[in-house]
Amino acid sequence: MNLYEFQSKQIFAKHGIPIPKGELAQTPEEAEEIAARLGGRVVVKAQVLAGGRGKAGGIRLAETPAEARAAAEAILGMQIKGLTVRRVLVDQAADIAQELYLGIVLDRAGRRLVLMASAAGGVDIEEVAAAAPEKIARAEIDPLLGLQPYQMRQVACDIELDRALLTQFTRIGLGLYEALMRSDATLAEINPLAVTAGGELLALDGKMVVDDNGLYRQPELARAREMLEESPAEREARQYGLSYVKLDGYIGCMVNGAGLAMATMDMTKLFGGAPANFLDIGGGARADRVAAALRIILADPNVRAVLINIFGGITRCDEVARGILEAFAQVPSKVPVVVRLIGTNEEEGRRLLAEANFITARTLSEAARRAVEAAQAGTAAPAV
Ligand code: GDP
Ligand code: MN
């Protein structure tokens, strides 16, 4: 689970990392009030789970509360990498002298955490890593000893940090390590870690990735996830144990098994279509899960046809068919549906669906071709 900037910074602050004063706003009016309360120059920042917000226009400086309101007006509702901005963080603006990078990431191959720092902060660290890897200093963290102060000093030396900042820098690194460990995170990153004109270090941006397997012992983060969920579709998908990823196309795909779902998406593309989503309903899909999956797919306004591809190994095809019928009874829709069922009880499943005027197919290529045709023709709805 990725944390938002404001969440990561709140966690940083709990571990002694200095962050700018700031508050979250959901409306331009709130942004204005916060700016007035903070006083002076503020920065209004889009809260979405994507990097590069600055380049996308999601970060604006404002000199007055009225400007902060205008900035929030421009940013709220904006799309950044396909995500709609629903909240902005209004922070006291910093006077930046230099932008550093400081992060701790899990190196899976090395089976340990690695501390990374660079004097070339602010920009995408992946770009720095690709273009000038020598500008990134590293220190491997021993899993038994944890991050040691001498490692912070070593890294500070490698990036030629001003000696006057050494104590602060060390404290921030150790705090970041604590924040990561206590949150069951696999990544904790400050980019930029600003050196202010006044000679202070300040975490201006924050990013954390928390291991989903640790969420059972992170009740606060799990609750926050419920509250901040990007879309109702993703929430519903999780409740029913479905893996769902929204995409830009127009053919809704419902498949059992991740590999089969990928193959189905490839086939859709091969026949000239574009998948609207990845959706894996998993094994043993019963009627209620299939119904939930269809509700999620049909809630996407881009969907012009639905392609259902079920391999009935453990899953019984007649049960899947009943689930499809049940879902359509719940969610009336004019979208054409192509179903390919194969495996246990496939004849019975196909018969049930054909009776209800669904388009059925025997092979995946046939199903994909028909789904693309149906989407492009805007075929009439199945009569349920
Ligand atoms: P990102 O683009 O999503 O990584 O968002 P950041 O929070 O890292 O902001 C991008 C850039 O905006 C930073 O690298 C800074 O150059 C600038 N920025 C962010 N906060 C401030 C601030 O308080 N004052 C000033 N002057 N610039 C800021
Ligand atoms: Mn950043």
Side-chain angles (χ1 to χ4, degrees):
M1 171 173 86
N2 294 306
L3 300 191
Y4 287 88
E5 175 192 3
F6 75 91
Q7 290 178 291
S8 305
K9 277 155 85 175
Q10 276 166 10
I11 296 175
F12 291 171
K14 278 189 202 154
H15 293 90
I17 299 171
I19 60 165
K21 246 192 218 158
E23 286 175 54
L24 214 52
Q26 283 183 290
T27 63
E29 293 72 34
E30 280 171 20
E32 183 174 13
E33 283 168 27
I34 295 165
R37 221 175 3 249
L38 293 173
R41 208 156 66 116
V42 296
V43 55
V44 181
K45 312 183 74 177
Q47 296 300 290
V48 284
L49 297 176
R53 294 165 302 160
K55 279 184 210 154
I59 294 181
R60 296 193 184 200
L61 286 163
E63 301 291 337
T64 64
E67 270 184 43
R69 180 199 181 105
E73 214 151 349
I75 295 172
L76 288 164
M78 180 186 261
Q79 294 264 334
I80 298 179
K81 296 187 181 161
L83 302 166
T84 307
V85 182
R86 292 195 289 166
R87 296 176 192 81
V88 290
L89 176 64
V90 183
D91 263 359
Q92 219 155 36
D95 226 341
I96 305 174
Q98 195 194 351
E99 299 191 20
L100 311 173
Y101 170 92
L102 184 65
I104 301 175
V105 294
L106 180 64
D107 172 5
R108 290 180 191 277
R111 293 186 289 178
R112 56 193 59 207
L113 293 164
V114 175
L115 174 85
M116 297 198 291
S118 177
V123 292
D124 222 339
I125 196 66
E126 283 83 6
E127 280 173 28
V128 180
E134 74 284 355
K135 285 192 181 159
I136 301 177
R138 289 160 212 271
E140 289 190 359
I141 301 173
D142 185 292
L144 296 178
L145 299 177
L147 180 64
Q148 297 292 309
Y150 79 84
Q151 296 183 294
M152 287 307 298
R153 290 194 289 274
Q154 178 64 58
V155 159
C157 186
D158 292 345
I159 65 167
E160 295 174 0
L161 186 81
D162 182 349
R163 292 192 66 91
L165 298 170
L166 193 57
T167 311
Q168 287 184 60
F169 185 72
T170 301
R171 198 159 11 89
I172 290 170
L174 297 176
L176 192 63
Y177 177 71
E178 275 304 305
L180 177 141
M181 293 302 284
R182 303 243 169 193
S183 310
D184 289 310
T186 55
L187 178 145
E189 195 178 77
I190 309 174
N191 190 25
L193 173 62
V195 181
T196 66
E200 302 285 328
L201 288 176
L202 197 57
L204 292 193
D205 189 12
K207 178 176 173 183
M208 289 183 83
V209 179
V210 174
D211 186 344
D212 285 350
N213 296 312
L215 278 179
Y216 75 96
R217 54 184 193 185
Q218 300 289 341
E220 242 177 82
L221 293 176
R223 259 197 311 279
R225 155 137 101 182
E226 298 286 323
M227 230 182 60
L228 297 165
E229 205 82 56
E230 280 296 336
S231 73
E234 281 167 26
R235 185 180 318 151
E236 187 171 13
R238 197 161 42 74
Q239 275 165 1
Y240 283 91
L242 312 165
S243 314
Y244 171 79
V245 180
K246 190 182 162 357
L247 301 167
D248 298 334
Y250 52 86
I251 295 181
C253 298
M254 180 171 116
V255 189
N256 62 337
L260 193 58
M262 300 295 274
T264 305
M265 289 159 62
D266 281 351
M267 281 302 223
T268 306
K269 284 212 145 180
L270 185 67
F271 284 96
N277 62 274
F278 168 95
L279 198 161
D280 172 13
I281 58 170
R286 292 191 329 273
D288 59 335
R289 292 179 90 199
V290 176
L294 264 177
R295 268 199 305 278
I296 291 165
I297 289 175
L298 293 174
D300 177 353
N302 294 338
V303 168
R304 284 191 267 140
V306 178
L307 169 53
I308 301 176
N309 184 19
I310 302 294
F311 179 80
I314 299 165
T315 313
R316 275 174 37 204
C317 292
D318 57 321
E319 240 193 77
V320 174
R322 285 195 190 89
I324 294 166
L325 296 175
E326 197 180 306
F328 270 82
Q330 287 171 20
V331 192
S333 161
K334 292 200 189 310
V335 174
V337 181
V338 179
V339 191
R340 181 215 179 202
L341 288 176
I342 192 156
T344 311
N345 282 1
E346 61 179 77
E347 292 84 6
E348 173 71 359
R350 268 201 296 270
R351 190 183 59 74
L352 286 169
L353 291 169
E355 271 173 13
N357 289 344
F358 283 84
I359 307 166
T360 58
R362 275 168 197 278
T363 67
L364 176 49
S365 20
E366 186 192 348
R369 184 174 49 77
R370 294 190 133 199
V372 174
E373 278 168 13
Q376 283 162 1
T379 308
V384 182

